[in-house]
Amino acid sequence: MTLPSLQDKFGRTIKDLRISVTDRCNFRCFYCIPDENIVWKRKQDLLTYDEIVLLTEVAVSLGVEKVRLTGGEPQLRGDLELLIARLAKIPGLRDLAMTTNGVGLKRRASALRSAGLNRITIMCDSLKPDTFKTITRRDALQSVLDGIEATIVAGFRPPKINCVVIRGMNDDEVADFADFARAKGVCVRFIEHMPLDNGHQWDRRMLVGGREVLQRIQERHQLVPIDRDSPSETALKYAFADGAPGEIGIIAPVTMPFCGACSRLRLTADGNLRTCLFSMVDHNVRDLLRRGETRDQIAQFMIDTVLKKKAGHRINEPDFIQPPRTMSFIGG
Ligand code: SAM
């Protein structure tokens, strides 16, 4: 008998679940979250840890192998280590990762590792304190750099560093980030700016395409392509031709969309499944849970939701409509 799995109409199988554990964030990145007048979700609207664990168990029973905790800023959710310890014990879950801004990792990285977290991705959009502050609206570069070091010291695999490249703000630092990757032995992943900002001010002129990023790095360092770990991996990956440590990743959802190999499903902090960052519809699984529906019914709901996944994100189509939720409220 074939076990049910999460397959969409286009033959893509869902293996990755991204779980936002909170909508709150201590950064105010201009391309992501409003600077003020934010209405946070009420505590009772957020999924509890019991609910997150149950939903993850159901997802894993349907073939999900990787879970990534995100937000908002996941470290702001109280007692995150308790959730990690419970998720890490789910049989069949092969990989448990977290995307974070890195603040606070200096004192917390070891505890996260002991709890069972496998991998950490840390955002860092600039190596210059002033630019960092302009983008994130927080004076926190040193704390992020300390977090990167702490992750390595705690024995995690070298963290991936996410850098959103914005023309006129940090695009002059692309090659410096490549130097940083070499010096620290980390993978720096350059991400294209996507239309998910709060003010709906996204403008193609601010976008620095993945090819341009590569060209700028290659003016300083020769790169050689390396295989992706899996076809659904979002980043094109490169090593340094001279054998230096570190890697470069290019995540180009706008100029080189990778929807055809997408294996992701998202769960928002308030318990909605989303089939794509750019989808206009939320699928409320929290209320099903709270109505007491069985695991089988929840599983069927996940299966039906995945069948609604669209072929692609349509950013480049003339009729593209930006979703109302920003990245921080969906879970990046
Ligand atoms: N707080 C965590 C962090 O800082 O990584 C997790 C959430 S954050 C929304 C996840 C990632 O999404 C970050 O690397 C952030 O830079 C990226 N991001 C947010 N808005 C974006 C946008 N409009 N375009 C591209 N990347 C974006």
Side-chain angles (χ1 to χ4, degrees), residues 71-88:
E73 173 46 47
Q75 292 194 77
L76 296 188
R77 181 81 189 245
D79 296 325
L80 187 67
E81 289 79 358
L82 295 181
L83 175 65
I84 289 171
R86 291 179 65 184
L87 294 175

Side-chain angles (χ1 to χ4, degrees), residues 47 51 54-55 271 273 283-302 304-305:
L47 291 176
E51 289 169 336
L54 189 148
L55 289 172
L273 291 170
H283 304 272
N284 188 332
V285 69
R286 180 196 66 198
D287 290 354
L288 297 188
L289 265 178
R290 292 187 182 174
R291 276 208 303 269
E293 303 229 351
T294 63
R295 280 178 186 248
D296 283 351
Q297 286 169 314
I298 302 285
Q300 193 56 52
F301 184 78
M302 280 188 193
D304 294 343
T305 298

Side-chain angles (χ1 to χ4, degrees), residues 18 24-27 29-33 69-75 98-102 121-125 161-166 189 191-198 202 253 277-278 322 326-332:
R18 304 212 165 186
R24 288 173 195 253
C25 193
N26 42 1
F27 280 16
C29 303
F30 81 92
Y31 53 70
C32 184
I33 191 169
L69 302 178
T70 179
E73 173 46 47
Q75 292 194 77
M98 177 172 78
T99 300
T100 170
N101 61 31
T121 298
I122 299 174
M123 72 157 277
C124 182
D125 288 347
I161 311 300
N162 279 348
C163 172
V164 179
V165 190
I166 315 279
R189 309 185 324 158
I191 305 179
E192 288 180 349
H193 180 209
M194 291 181 277
L196 284 169
D197 56 306
N198 161 63
W202 184 80
L277 269 177
F278 294 96
Q322 181 170 336
T326 69
M327 189 80 142
S328 65
F329 294 108
I330 299 169

Side-chain angles (χ1 to χ4, degrees), residues 194-197 200-202 204 274 276-281 310 312-326 330:
M194 291 181 277
L196 284 169
D197 56 306
H200 290 216
Q201 309 265 298
W202 184 80
R204 225 166 253 277
R274 287 180 68 93
C276 173
L277 269 177
F278 294 96
S279 65
M280 302 298 282
V281 206
K310 298 269 196 302
H313 60 42
R314 302 184 60 78
I315 297 175
N316 298 310
E317 304 302 322
D319 59 350
F320 170 73
I321 301 171
Q322 181 170 336
R325 284 202 198 224
T326 69
I330 299 169

Side-chain angles (χ1 to χ4, degrees), residues 95-239:
D95 190 20
L96 181 57
M98 177 172 78
T99 300
T100 170
N101 61 31
V103 171
L105 281 179
K106 191 173 175 180
R107 54 170 180 80
R108 203 171 188 185
S110 289
L112 291 167
R113 185 159 154 77
S114 306
L117 192 66
N118 301 128
R119 291 187 296 127
I120 298 191
T121 298
I122 299 174
M123 72 157 277
C124 182
D125 288 347
S126 175
L127 297 168
K128 298 179 192 164
D130 287 349
T131 309
F132 188 96
K133 190 171 168 191
T134 305
I135 294 175
T136 63
R137 304 187 184 113
R138 291 292 181 270
D139 193 2
L141 174 61
Q142 193 53 53
S143 177
V144 172
L145 295 176
D146 290 346
I148 294 171
E149 287 295 339
T151 306
I152 297 168
V153 170
F156 282 100
R157 261 191 262 162
K160 291 179 187 159
I161 311 300
N162 279 348
C163 172
V164 179
V165 190
I166 315 279
R167 192 172 305 285
M169 289 186 128
N170 61 353
D171 55 328
D172 58 329
E173 292 187 64
V174 165
D176 296 342
F177 266 110
D179 289 343
F180 183 81
R182 292 163 66 91
K184 301 283 174 198
V186 297
C187 176
V188 175
R189 309 185 324 158
F190 297 95
I191 305 179
E192 288 180 349
H193 180 209
M194 291 181 277
L196 284 169
D197 56 306
N198 161 63
H200 290 216
Q201 309 265 298
W202 184 80
D203 181 335
R204 225 166 253 277
R205 284 169 298 185
M206 292 168 83
L207 175 87
V208 183
R211 289 185 188 86
E212 181 179 338
V213 168
L214 272 181
Q215 198 184 331
R216 289 188 186 209
I217 296 173
Q218 294 199 295
E219 284 163 13
R220 196 176 293 180
H221 300 291
Q222 277 305 307
L223 297 174
V224 283
I226 44 179
D227 288 342
R228 297 178 191 212
D229 293 336
S230 77
S232 63
E233 196 173 274
T234 50
L236 296 171
K237 296 199 299 181
Y238 299 83

